[in-house]
Amino acid sequence: MKNIFISSDDIRHDFSIAMSEMYQKEVPLYGDLIDLVTDVNTGVLSKQPEIREQLEHTGEIDRLNLERHGAIRLGTAAELSMMRRLFAVMGMVPVGYYDLAPAGVPVHSTAFRATETQSLHKSPFRVFTSLLRLDLIADKVLKQEAADTLAKRNIFTDNVVSLIERFEEKGGLTADEAERFVKEALETFRWHDKTPVSKELYQKLLAQHGLIADVVGFKGPHINHLTPRTLDIDAVQAGMQAKGIPPKAIIEGPPRRDCPILLRQTSFKALEEAVSFENSAGGYDSGHHTARFGEIEQRGVALTPKGRELYDKLLSQARSQLGVTPNANNASEYYQKLEKSFKAFPDDYQTLHDEGLAYFYYQAVNDAQDASSVSSKSGINELEGNGSNDIISKQAMTHLIEQGAVRLEPIVYEDFLPVSAAGIFQSNLHDDKQSSYEGNSNQQEFEGALGAGVHNELELYQAMQAQSLEACLMALNSHA
Ligand code: OOG
Ligand code: NI
């Protein structure tokens, strides 16, 4: 028998499609949302050829309709560490650390995703993965009860665990194994309307925090949303209202701009779903639970540390001027403040580049190569700062760009934003208590639970930019 392995990119691609199909069946409104996003994206691509061209140059055009992320919430270190091994089979590694406690959500998180440009084009599927922090819960008795409940559950099928072990041992899965893996892995993310806890315990957990009830009260980490990528989030937000899909009050992230930065997100409100709670008589008590929703995102250029600092400053300026958490009653006031505040953030790509605020691909114009074909080269020294100074002077590069010999294209932001994520969590947990948890941000503890370090997203963008610069200069030289 031949032992040819399927690439992890293909397994991720198949899994992401299987997941989307499952979620559309479970939450049909998510299917309506995809249709709306597809319509809006088709409109943008036909009306704004410059956006189509940009996506062609960066290679993103092919992945646009595939693009989505999802989110899950885990209860224990053991679950998180096995989840890391499960995602590794699909070429997804933990990138970034997000502490949501200051925003009143008792979790810390990472995003599992592919990191190479080529792999991202093949399937940009990401999963925002949170670990419940029971240490932030003050009620000792309830904390123990929650921990005992979590200790009893097993969220992975035996088959998926043996396939993960097989992958680790052999370095890959055959076509047949990969197909079984996708099917078995999907089981972990499925919705279960029969809970393993009593209604009484569920209500105690809910009174602590909606998130604790959502994690501890269920058999497994049901996927709680999937998120297609749109090219015009304002149009989708308006379209949701028109289609009777109830949107969240506020679009999270930066304001609308000519040159999108980072990530803007909104969602439709979580559904109230019927669930049955196990009772001591061996029967079930009926009730309901609110957790699952659909989300939309618009992605823009990744920012350098300097750009990110400016973003954080302008965002918190607008929010502190508003004085309260943005909500349905102050939405237009919030957007006004946000737009005013972000006037200080340059809104053209050349300036974003020249001021070292964002990451770009450098592309030699005569060369038909796109970003994906240049970025597969490796072995390039890490570059400092905005990247360009070490190989070529800033002046020389500016000259090449002015001459039209080099083109800048934005490197898309692949990650998440903690303030936005907290807003998404809150709007879907109906949690307007808006407190914050004291307690240290604890990346070390998270990584301990994960069983690995998380990748630094800024280093990944920096490397992508440096690789494109190197390849661009090589292409120019070979034409000279
Ligand atoms: C995750 C919320 C965060 C995003 O896109 O920022 C998130 C959750 O609700 O579990 O998905
Ligand atoms: Ni999300």
Side-chain angles (χ1 to χ4, degrees), residues 60 113 259-263 299-308 311 345 349 352-353 356-361 386 409-415 417 457-458 460-462 464-465:
E60 284 159 79
R113 66 168 177 90
C259 301
I261 52 171
L262 298 173
L263 176 64
R299 291 186 174 266
V301 67
L303 299 185
T304 61
K306 181 180 169 194
R308 181 52 188 270
Y311 170 79
F345 210 117
Y349 288 126
L352 290 172
H353 169 264
L357 292 167
Y359 291 111
F360 290 89
Y361 293 115
N386 196 32
E409 293 292 0
I411 297 183
V412 69
Y413 188 60
E414 304 283 352
D415 296 289
L417 298 168
E457 65 279 17
L458 296 167
L460 296 173
Y461 297 121
Q462 177 64 52
M464 279 164 127
Q465 176 172 280

Side-chain angles (χ1 to χ4, degrees), residues 118-366:
Q118 296 273 28
S119 295
L120 286 161
H121 288 347
K122 176 83 200 179
S123 169
F125 184 56
R126 326 165 178 77
V127 181
F128 190 90
T129 303
S130 300
L131 177 64
L132 180 61
R133 286 184 68 182
L134 285 180
D135 60 302
L136 296 179
I137 293 157
D139 181 336
K140 286 213 174 72
V141 178
L142 189 63
K143 186 152 78 178
Q144 193 54 49
E145 220 174 335
D148 293 346
T149 307
L150 287 170
K152 276 189 253 161
R153 74 177 191 180
N154 176 7
I155 65 170
F156 301 98
T157 68
D158 293 344
N159 287 338
V160 88
V161 174
S162 20
L163 287 162
I164 292 168
E165 284 165 358
R166 186 154 183 91
F167 173 87
E168 289 170 349
E169 197 183 308
K170 306 272 173 192
L173 296 182
T174 63
D176 173 53
E177 288 164 348
E179 201 182 312
R180 277 193 289 130
F181 172 84
V182 167
K183 208 167 137 271
E184 294 286 339
L186 205 58
E187 288 308 309
T188 298
F189 302 89
R190 194 181 285 290
W191 172 247
H192 299 278
D193 60 4
K194 290 197 167 49
T195 81
V197 300
S198 69
K199 194 165 181 176
E200 191 200 343
L201 176 57
Y202 173 85
Q203 271 157 354
K204 279 197 277 179
L205 297 166
L206 191 64
Q208 278 287 316
H209 200 290
L211 189 121
I212 304 172
D214 186 55
V215 177
V216 180
F218 288 82
K219 281 189 190 146
H222 40 254
I223 182 91
N224 68 51
H225 67 279
L226 283 179
T227 307
R229 173 175 171 192
T230 181
L231 299 173
D232 186 346
I233 198 164
D234 301 280
V236 178
Q237 176 90 344
M240 278 205 285
Q241 248 137 2
K243 281 200 166 196
I245 308 176
K248 166 181 183 318
I250 296 284
I251 298 179
E252 302 286 345
R256 185 177 182 88
R257 298 160 45 90
D258 290 337
C259 301
I261 52 171
L262 298 173
L263 176 64
R264 298 180 74 207
Q265 295 162 286
T266 181
S267 63
F268 65 73
K269 298 240 180 75
L271 314 169
E272 191 175 284
E273 299 178 276
V275 290
S276 314
F277 298 100
E278 216 171 69
N279 64 29
S280 49
Y284 283 95
D285 298 324
S286 59
H288 54 82
H289 180 67
T290 314
R292 301 193 304 159
F293 59 99
E295 187 191 24
I296 319 107
E297 63 184 15
Q298 180 171 4
R299 291 186 174 266
V301 67
L303 299 185
T304 61
K306 181 180 169 194
R308 181 52 188 270
E309 204 176 299
L310 182 59
Y311 170 79
D312 287 337
K313 187 179 116 191
L314 300 179
L315 183 73
S316 79
Q317 188 173 296
R319 291 173 84 101
S320 64
Q321 277 170 6
L322 191 71
V324 290
T325 310
N327 60 51
N329 301 324
N330 57 28
S332 62
E333 193 192 343
Y334 174 60
Y335 287 142
Q336 272 170 18
K337 293 205 176 344
L338 198 60
E339 268 177 34
K340 198 153 156 251
S341 180
F342 273 81
K343 287 226 157 66
F345 210 117
D347 195 11
D348 66 279
Y349 288 126
Q350 190 65 52
T351 312
L352 290 172
H353 169 264
D354 295 349
E355 295 188 6
L357 292 167
Y359 291 111
F360 290 89
Y361 293 115
Y362 297 94
Q363 298 180 346
V365 171
N366 289 333

Side-chain angles (χ1 to χ4, degrees), residues 14-35:
D14 291 350
F15 180 78
S16 133
I17 286 173
M19 177 86 109
S20 181
E21 279 171 3
M22 179 175 87
Y23 201 58
Q24 281 181 61
K25 277 192 210 131
E26 290 183 351
V27 180
L29 213 49
Y30 164 66
D32 298 349
L33 187 64
I34 295 193
D35 294 341

